[in-house]
Amino acid sequence: MNNGLNRYFGLDSHSEVLLIGHSHLMLAVDKVNFEAGIGHSVSKYCREGVNVADRYEMIRQYLSSPYSDSLKVVLYGVDQFMFTGEGLSKNSYKLFYPFIDEENMDRYIRESADFKDYWLHKLICTTRYSDALINSAIRGYRKDWSNYKVGNLDVDALKGQIKNGTQRHIHFEQDLIDCFEKTLSLLTQKGIRVVLINTPIAEPLNQYEPEEYHKIITYLQQKADSFPCIYYWDFNPKFSTRYDLLFDPIHLNVEGQKVVSREIVKCFNEEIEI
């Protein structure tokens, strides 16, 4: 099972490029075509529902492996909700149960889980795998990183949710900001370039809290302006009104992934030299 997961997430590969994010980035990048387009090996370590703290541990996990010696660039998924704790799973540490025997993940799970939960999964290996993890392991063996999201965003329904206040709000939780800053320091101190990549989100969701949205976009751009090894790529201006490419407000459908992946390849080849 773990071999399949490692293959699916690229944790067993001497990759030059590492993708880190949640489902927003996962469904935006076609790994196979991206890898072929840039001519470099790619690991796609994206997990549904992971927050900034989870991603810090995911990066540490990859860096602590014997496969990290070739890593040159990290594409890190960002969006306006990255410092908003609500809306992502508070139990996301459970995603990492299969890696509980690895030092940094063992510590992270031990700190997050209660005593009984931790030791149950530590001692009984079969409890570590959910249906989703089993599916990911199977996809790893099949080398299947496909996007299966078919359909289009219902824009009117989204506008109704925004009007009714049922969509997420943008917050700036200091512990998540601090963790993000720590992540950037960890990577840049190792000489690894970081691309903060903001893949398309539906325009109504980008517009409904304009001051907060502008604040976080400015923050991300300032990071790129302040450090020569950090880049900020925002694909919203070009694609956020292309509702035919979106499956839901934050996820691209199959066609959207193809279109945006080509744009990412173009930006990479123009701006990144390995």
Side-chain angles (χ1 to χ4, degrees), residues 81 168-170 205-214:
F81 304 112
R168 292 173 69 192
H169 295 279
I170 301 171
L205 203 54
N206 292 337
Q207 289 184 340
Y208 88 113
E209 292 181 327
E211 293 183 5
E212 289 81 0
Y213 182 82
H214 177 73

Side-chain angles (χ1 to χ4, degrees), residues 54-210:
D54 298 324
R55 282 178 258 174
Y56 174 72
E57 299 299 338
M58 290 160 66
I59 290 171
R60 289 188 68 239
Q61 179 186 11
Y62 188 83
L63 292 178
S64 65
S65 77
Y67 299 99
S68 64
D69 55 350
S70 56
L71 184 61
K72 301 293 189 297
V73 182
V74 168
L75 270 64
Y76 186 102
V78 298
D79 58 65
Q80 63 263 45
F81 304 112
M82 61 188 294
F83 300 136
T84 303
E86 65 184 36
L88 292 176
S89 174
K90 294 181 179 180
N91 297 318
S92 54
Y93 67 88
K94 294 183 177 182
L95 294 169
F96 306 107
Y97 278 140
F99 308 120
I100 198 171
D101 293 327
E102 299 178 24
E103 183 178 354
N104 83 288
M105 283 302 179
D106 179 82
R107 175 194 52 77
Y108 186 51
I109 294 169
R110 186 192 290 262
E111 291 174 353
S112 304
D114 62 41
F115 180 85
K116 180 180 178 181
D117 197 35
Y118 170 80
W119 282 108
L120 173 67
H121 294 85
K122 184 72 171 178
L123 297 175
I124 305 176
C125 296
T126 54
T127 63
R128 302 174 186 178
Y129 303 94
S130 64
D131 290 344
L133 284 167
I134 293 171
N135 181 59
S136 294
I138 293 170
R139 291 182 68 175
Y141 279 110
R142 294 173 56 197
K143 298 183 178 181
D144 179 8
W145 297 276
S146 303
N147 180 342
Y148 290 103
K149 298 293 187 182
V150 178
N152 300 107
L153 169 69
D154 186 333
V155 182
D156 291 334
L158 172 60
K159 291 179 178 178
Q161 292 165 3
I162 292 172
K163 185 177 180 180
N164 295 333
T166 55
Q167 274 291 337
R168 292 173 69 192
H169 295 279
I170 301 171
H171 297 301
F172 297 86
E173 298 181 16
Q174 192 60 49
D175 60 331
L176 295 179
I177 296 173
D178 292 343
C179 190
F180 178 66
E181 299 273 358
K182 186 168 62 172
T183 302
L184 295 181
S185 296
L186 172 66
L187 292 169
T188 55
Q189 287 173 8
K190 292 182 176 292
I192 298 169
R193 282 171 283 178
V194 182
V195 178
L196 306 176
I197 181 168
N198 197 351
T199 51
I201 288 177
E203 185 67 6
L205 203 54
N206 292 337
Q207 289 184 340
Y208 88 113
E209 292 181 327

Side-chain angles (χ1 to χ4, degrees), residues 220-234:
L220 294 169
Q221 187 61 62
Q222 287 175 344
K223 287 295 173 190
D225 293 340
S226 301
F227 298 93
C229 55
I230 298 178
Y231 308 76
Y232 176 54
W233 296 348
D234 188 353

Side-chain angles (χ1 to χ4, degrees), residues 6-19:
N6 286 333
R7 186 174 299 179
Y8 182 64
F9 297 129
L11 300 177
D12 61 352
S13 303
H14 287 278
S15 294
E16 296 163 288
V17 180
L18 173 66
L19 276 66

